[in-house]
Amino acid sequence: MSAVVSAAGCLAANDWICGEYVRSRAQELTDATVEHVWITAVSVLIGLVVAFPLALLVRARPRFAAPVLGLTTVLYAIPSLAMFSLLLPLFGLSAALVVTGLVLYSLTILVRNILAGLASVPEEAREAARGMGYGPGRLLWEVELPLALPAVMAGVRMATVSTVALTTVGALVDHGGLGTLITTGLKSFFKAQVLTASVLCVLLAVTADLLLLALQRFLTPWTRPARTPGTLIRKAG
Amino acid sequence: MGAVTEAWTWLTTGANWQGESGVWHRLAEHLWFSGVCLVVSCLIALPLALWLGHIGRGGALAVNISNAGRAVPTLAVLVLLTLTPLGRQGALPTIIALVLFAVPPLLTNAYVGMREVDRSVVEAARGMGMSGGQVFARVELPLAYPMVMTGLRSATVQVIATATLAAMAGEGGLGRIITAGFNRNDTAQVVAGALVVGALALLAEGLLVAVGRAFDPMRATRRAH
């Protein structure tokens, strides 16, 4: 490419990097990003709401551990394309379909990390709280959850980053946020659209991770920024 | 449950299994991508991870690479590679995207497995006069084996699962049954394709658990505990 090509020329030349594309399609890019963010956020939040009772159930009744952890592992092994397709008869072509699939995936990471967090609470802390007359509810809310927070937040960060990547597969049902721009860009061989949407997607994941890290530091001022535990599994997006 | 019945009818119709876009051909394509990708990924990741683990260097890299990898959507990598000149080389974009996806978990698990070997056991082996190579082959590798296999298992299952995304980038594999179903508004075919892909992923997971147990070098010892 010669340096004299004008800014608008990059669209005609189908360049990978094109400022004119970003300017002229700003609205489209914003809409896709907004959809991507809300689908991810809603999925992780619902995932947390479902994962907490599951983790508490497994802790209170260890005989549920094998079925709950086994089921979430099996769900995780199901390919995203298949998961979204299997939900199609139930939800039709909707954002609810994508959110449901993402919630099911997030459970694997969240349930395990919540359990790991609760298991990491020192027994002495529990004993001390009980000795001070804390009931089970107050013990959980005021002692165990704050102490479990680093592991829980590690899970939330991991789940969020993989959910951002997985949301792209929602393009299958036209609710993939930036993923929809990636697949339509492929159909029209539009390089700038594919690259811009991909880069935004990675930036979104990194930004979400950093924001959650900041939130974790804010919520747990007593911990040093040490290595947080986590599982070594990931899911494709 | 009408969709499931229709999907079952689709699956039991012989014609859907034959020909260029039939299940058998798509399955063969799928296993071909996944197999090549896994062999290449293991050749890249395992020697590097085992060596780094043996000398005890590069830990931050080995661990962080898998966190960084999680942020990159495989669909985006697939589509980007398809739009480059590589896109004209048949299955190459798919294989490269899958290798990029499989290397980080393999690397991280193998490295962590090597580093989690009890240091006092390694010191004892050295004290008995074992050379670096002997410590590696007779002590570290057998002890790190379960973790290496965990990494391999999760990489295999995820590669087989992720290979379906190749269809969204216009490549072959079992995902094509699903995307073709979408294009034809044929829910039965979409669900049938999803069932085949899901069954394959679960089968791979089960098979690898069994293989990992059968070939565990410490099997006798572990059972005794």
Side-chain angles (χ1 to χ4, degrees):
Chain A
M1 257 331 98
S2 74
V4 285
V5 170
S6 69
C10 67
L11 269 182
N14 195 15
D15 286 342
W16 285 104
I17 298 168
C18 183
E20 183 57 24
Y21 164 74
V22 179
R23 268 190 299 280
S24 62
R25 312 286 175 96
Q27 191 56 47
E28 199 178 73
L29 280 166
T30 313
D31 291 347
T33 309
V34 167
E35 187 185 45
H36 209 110
V37 169
W38 83 252
I39 287 180
T40 304
V42 168
S43 304
V44 176
L45 285 176
I46 297 179
L48 267 175
V49 169
V50 178
F52 257 109
L54 280 178
L56 292 178
L57 174 77
V58 167
R59 194 175 65 142
R61 303 254 187 285
R63 68 196 162 91
F64 285 108
V68 168
L69 295 178
L71 183 67
T72 54
T73 309
V74 165
L75 285 173
Y76 204 79
I78 297 175
S80 44
L81 198 65
M83 178 75 93
F84 291 153
S85 306
L86 286 171
L87 293 169
L88 184 67
L90 298 173
F91 293 92
L93 297 171
S94 65
L97 181 154
V98 180
V99 169
T100 308
L102 295 174
V103 167
L104 291 175
Y105 284 136
S106 71
L107 290 182
T108 317
I109 299 171
L110 293 175
V111 171
R112 274 167 207 273
N113 276 271
I114 295 169
L115 278 174
L118 291 174
S120 72
V121 175
E123 198 49 44
E124 301 88 67
R126 279 197 199 98
E127 289 300 322
R130 284 199 198 98
M132 288 165 71
Y134 278 46
R138 197 166 161 218
L139 174 69
L140 176 70
W141 194 247
E142 292 182 20
V143 178
E144 292 182 306
L145 278 188
L147 289 174
L149 212 55
V152 175
M153 284 302 289
V156 172
R157 283 171 61 198
M158 230 182 316
T160 306
V161 171
S162 21
T163 304
V164 170
L166 269 171
T167 301
T168 54
V169 183
L172 188 70
V173 292
D174 288 328
H175 290 281
L178 294 161
T180 310
L181 290 184
I182 294 175
T183 51
T184 53
L186 174 70
K187 281 183 194 116
S188 52
F189 221 81
F190 195 168
K191 290 178 179 172
Q193 179 168 319
V194 172
L195 185 65
T196 311
S198 303
V199 169
L200 278 176
C201 211
V202 175
L203 285 180
L204 214 55
V206 173
T207 312
D209 195 42
L210 291 176
L211 284 176
L212 286 168
L213 181 65
L215 178 68
Q216 179 186 342
R217 298 248 168 99
F218 173 75
L219 289 175
T220 57
W222 62 88
T223 56
R224 291 183 174 278
R227 280 181 59 211
T228 38
T231 42
L232 299 169
I233 44 175
R234 66 181 289 234
K235 186 88 199 161
Chain B
M1 286 289 100
V4 174
T5 327
E6 282 169 43
W8 182 250
T9 314
W10 191 94
L11 283 173
T12 46
T13 306
N16 291 328
W17 291 70
Q18 309 300 327
E20 177 79 5
S21 51
V23 177
W24 291 124
H25 181 237
R26 293 301 183 203
L27 180 66
E29 284 178 332
H30 202 100
L31 293 177
W32 162 246
F33 299 156
S34 312
V36 171
C37 149
L38 278 170
V39 170
V40 174
S41 309
C42 285
L43 288 178
I44 296 172
L46 294 185
L48 183 64
L50 295 176
W51 179 66
L52 287 175
H54 179 65
I55 62 170
R57 301 244 174 90
L61 170 82
V63 173
N64 287 327
I65 196 169
S66 100
N67 288 331
R70 202 178 285 125
V72 180
T74 311
L75 179 63
V77 177
L78 263 168
V79 171
L80 284 171
L81 286 171
T82 307
L83 290 181
T84 64
L86 283 174
R88 287 190 285 274
Q89 310 295 318
L92 205 57
T94 309
I95 291 172
I96 295 175
L98 289 177
V99 167
L100 289 175
F101 171 75
V103 163
L106 282 171
L107 198 69
T108 307
N109 276 287
Y111 178 83
V112 171
M114 288 292 283
R115 294 317 295 167
E116 277 180 358
V117 172
D118 191 342
R119 285 301 105 190
S120 56
V121 176
V122 175
E123 289 310 316
R126 281 194 209 286
M128 286 165 68
M130 282 194 184
S131 68
Q134 285 172 323
V135 171
F136 173 74
R138 297 197 198 160
V139 179
E140 289 178 316
L141 201 54
L143 289 172
Y145 178 85
M147 196 72 179
V148 176
M149 277 312 286
T150 303
L152 185 59
R153 190 171 77 227
S154 99
T156 307
V157 173
Q158 290 302 324
V159 161
I160 290 179
T162 310
T164 50
L165 291 181
M168 289 180 84
E171 302 286 337
L174 284 172
R176 271 303 264 276
I177 300 174
I178 298 175
T179 51
F182 265 102
N183 291 340
R184 271 187 239 143
N185 260 327
D186 183 348
T187 308
Q189 181 174 337
V190 169
V191 175
L195 289 174
V196 174
V197 171
L200 180 67
L202 297 181
L203 197 70
E205 167 108 14
L207 205 66
L208 279 157
V209 172
V211 169
R213 278 200 198 128
F215 287 93
D216 187 343
M218 304 282 287
R219 185 163 51 146
T221 329
R222 267 189 252 283
R223 214 170 263 166
H225 284 294

